[in-house]
Amino acid sequence: MLLTTLITGCEFQQQLKEMYEESPNVVTGCHIGDARLSGLLLQERNYLTANGTQQQEMLHNAIKAMDHPQSALLLSQPKSSVSDLTKSLQYYRQQGTNPSKECPGDRYLLLRHAQAKLLLQINQYSSSLRKENLELRKKIEALTQIEQEISRDREIAQ
């Protein structure tokens, strides 16, 4: 049991290390204060309840204002495309963050950055599975046609 705990702890430490190595710029002091976090969360909620045109406008305004945290959050929603998730990762990397307990806003951005990376991996994997599925369907259709031709040839020969 001790060995399992040690191995799990090492794996967890490695995951944390990877997350912070690929995370946005780490700065001293909190970059996202409580009021800013509240505003980001409110904007994100509004974005999720808005229609497509409103969402595009909100996203355009955030990008135009060079609001990296807001742009990253809006681009990294669960239904986002691979290209949007990739763009969001760029914005997350540009945003300074401090992972300390005293900076919940920065930690939220780090969490969402990790979530965006996972969503991107899932979307890419899902896309590759869809392509593989399509290829297999084509092969099945080709085999079905060959089987039908063989059956016809047998009927003709009899």
Side-chain angles (χ1 to χ4, degrees):
M1 182 143 156
L2 179 61
L3 181 60
T4 305
T5 305
L6 288 173
I7 291 172
T8 305
C10 291
E11 288 176 7
F12 181 69
Q13 286 178 347
Q14 180 64 26
Q15 288 174 347
L16 280 177
K17 181 181 174 187
E18 288 174 5
M19 186 175 99
Y20 288 123
E21 284 176 354
E22 297 177 11
S23 66
N25 300 324
V26 177
V27 296
T28 55
C30 298
H31 195 276
I32 306 293
D34 292 341
R36 176 74 169 131
L37 177 59
S38 179
L40 288 171
L41 294 174
L42 180 63
Q43 278 295 98
E44 191 172 13
R45 184 184 61 122
N46 291 340
Y47 182 82
L48 290 171
T49 58
N51 65 35
T53 305
Q54 293 169 327
Q55 286 181 339
Q56 289 300 323
E57 185 177 326
M58 291 174 73
L59 179 58
H60 175 72
N61 290 339
I63 292 171
K64 185 178 177 182
M66 296 181 67
D67 187 346
H68 299 310
Q70 189 70 58
S71 300
L73 290 173
L74 298 183
L75 284 167
S76 64
Q77 297 302 314
K79 292 184 179 181
S80 295
S81 67
V82 170
S83 65
D84 284 348
L85 289 168
T86 302
K87 288 177 195 173
S88 78
L89 294 178
Q90 293 171 354
Y91 286 114
Y92 281 120
R93 282 188 216 101
Q94 292 174 4
Q95 177 61 45
T97 56
N98 182 346
S100 71
K101 291 179 184 178
E102 293 79 32
C103 302
D106 293 17
R107 292 177 68 188
Y108 178 70
L109 284 183
L110 287 170
L111 175 67
R112 287 297 305 277
H113 180 236
Q115 179 187 26
K117 288 191 296 189
L118 289 173
L119 282 171
L120 182 60
Q121 290 174 354
I122 290 168
N123 284 351
Q124 289 171 335
Y125 182 67
S126 177
S127 178
S128 71
L129 287 177
R130 278 192 296 276
K131 288 178 185 175
E132 184 179 342
N133 187 359
L134 182 61
E135 290 173 14
L136 290 173
R137 286 180 185 268
K138 287 179 182 178
K139 289 178 182 178
I140 289 171
E141 288 175 14
L143 289 172
T144 302
Q145 284 181 338
I146 292 170
E147 182 184 26
Q148 289 172 352
E149 289 174 12
I150 291 172
S151 293
R152 271 190 250 130
D153 290 346
R154 284 186 186 160
E155 287 177 6
I156 292 172
Q158 289 179 355

